[in-house]
């Protein structure tokens, strides 16, 4: 039975125990597609993902992931930011696309262009917007997993530098989070949430 969007939001939990059953490749593709469709500042799409599926692939990051449940999941996404997305050439390319399709004006593009942007990825200092963009993409993946009857868990309790080294990733990638995905072997109750009036600030 297909879940409504409201049900997907309400039912999603962080899953920390997975069945051994592998996730279908077409489901993993749908999860990647959910990230691909995410919105991002100036459409920069800075997210990149490494998918670990085999025991040998997962063994490469052993010791860098503090919680053992992560590598017990049949699929593990290593979620990264790409510094190339913030080089002058790439930002201008994305802005041109937006100007061409009348999404932003020449003036708005000019405003963005006045900020100093490095030519080379090694000179890029990753801006805070990048983490917002990656966060949106990863959460879209988590919601898609839920919609497909799968479970996932955001994980930041990792050693990103060591993962980068163990996977021999290119210099321009920065590891930010990990998202294990699999069939849930637990159904946790909802975690506490603040009340509506605690999150809406009255003027
Ligand atoms: C950015 C982020 C980082 C997180 N890092 C971890 C983590 O390293 N390990 C973990 O077990 N859970 C982690 N979580 C899951 C949270 O603990 C969880 O979302 C929160 O307790 C609410 O529970 P729920 O997701 O089941 O609603 C993280 C969640 C987010 C959004």
């Amino acid at each position: 039975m297909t879940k409504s969007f409201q049900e997907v939001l309400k039912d999603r939990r962080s899953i920390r125990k997975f069945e051994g059953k592998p996730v279908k490749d077409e489901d993993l593709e749908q999860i990647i597609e959910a990230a691909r469709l995410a919105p991002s500042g100036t459409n920069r799409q800075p997210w990149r993902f490494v998918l670990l599926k085999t025991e040998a692939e997962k063994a490469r990051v052993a010791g860098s992931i503090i919680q053992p449940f992560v590598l017990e999941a049949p699929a593990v996404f290593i979620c990264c930011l790409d510094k190339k997305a913030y080089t002058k050439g790439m930002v201008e390319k994305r802005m041109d696309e937006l100007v061409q399709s009348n999404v932003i004006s020449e003036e708005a593009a000019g405003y963005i262009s006045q900020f100093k942007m490095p030519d080379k990825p090694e000179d890029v200092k990753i801006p805070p917007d990048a983490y917002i963009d990656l966060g949106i993409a990863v959460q879209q993946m988590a919601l898609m997993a839920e919609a497909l009857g799968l479970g996932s868990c955001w994980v930041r309790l990792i050693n990103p530098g060591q993962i980068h080294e163990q996977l021999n990733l290119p210099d321009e990638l920065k590891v930010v989070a990990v998202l294990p995905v699999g069939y849930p072997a637990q159904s946790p109750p909802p975690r506490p949430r603040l009340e509506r009036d605690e999150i809406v600030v009255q003027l």
Side-chain angles (χ1 to χ4, degrees):
M1 201 184 71
T2 317
K3 284 187 178 193
S4 70
F5 186 60
Q6 282 82 353
E7 286 169 326
V8 169
L9 291 181
K10 202 159 158 287
D11 293 352
R12 185 212 54 81
R13 299 278 181 280
S14 290
I15 295 299
R16 299 183 179 85
K17 202 170 186 323
F18 299 96
E19 287 177 8
K21 187 175 148 190
V23 179
K24 292 196 276 298
D25 282 341
E26 60 257 41
D27 285 355
L28 292 172
E29 286 306 314
Q30 286 216 61
I31 291 171
I32 295 168
E33 182 65 1
R36 201 180 68 86
L37 296 176
S40 57
T42 322
N43 204 20
R44 278 179 295 226
Q45 308 162 67
W47 43 73
R48 303 290 179 266
F49 303 95
V50 181
L51 175 54
L52 310 177
K53 290 198 292 185
T54 65
E55 290 311 313
E57 285 166 347
K58 288 190 266 172
R60 288 180 65 176
V61 294
S64 300
I65 290 174
I66 289 76
Q67 294 167 288
F69 80 85
V70 176
L71 297 181
E72 286 159 19
V76 180
F77 287 96
I78 309 292
C79 309
C80 309
L81 282 169
D82 187 351
K83 291 186 181 174
K84 276 206 306 298
Y86 297 92
T87 53
K88 194 170 165 55
M90 286 311 292
V91 174
E92 285 181 348
K93 183 171 187 286
R94 297 275 95 91
M95 263 185 330
D96 283 349
E97 289 166 358
L98 295 182
V99 171
Q100 291 312 315
S101 43
N102 281 326
V103 172
I104 61 168
S105 63
E106 298 264 6
E107 292 72 39
Y111 180 80
I112 298 170
S113 294
Q114 73 182 343
F115 296 107
K116 205 171 124 31
M117 283 176 276
D119 292 315
K120 293 184 275 173
E122 57 265 37
D123 297 327
V124 167
K125 195 171 166 294
I126 296 178
D129 323 36
Y131 296 94
I132 298 176
D133 295 337
L134 181 63
I136 295 169
V138 176
Q139 187 57 16
Q140 294 208 166
M141 297 167 85
L143 294 176
M144 178 58 86
E146 174 65 36
L148 293 167
L150 296 161
S152 70
C153 184
W154 267 91
V155 175
R156 287 261 291 152
L157 202 54
I158 55 173
N159 184 335
Q162 202 172 299
I163 295 176
H164 188 278
E165 216 174 284
Q166 288 165 318
L167 295 178
N168 200 17
L169 297 176
D171 287 347
E172 63 268 21
L173 293 192
K174 179 176 180 187
V175 174
V176 175
V178 169
L179 192 79
V181 174
Y183 290 94
Q186 61 176 182
S187 43
R191 302 297 168 211
R193 288 297 194 266
L194 299 175
E195 298 298 334
R196 184 254 178 223
D197 287 351
E198 294 177 281
I199 65 168
V200 177
V201 178
Q202 296 298 327
L203 293 180

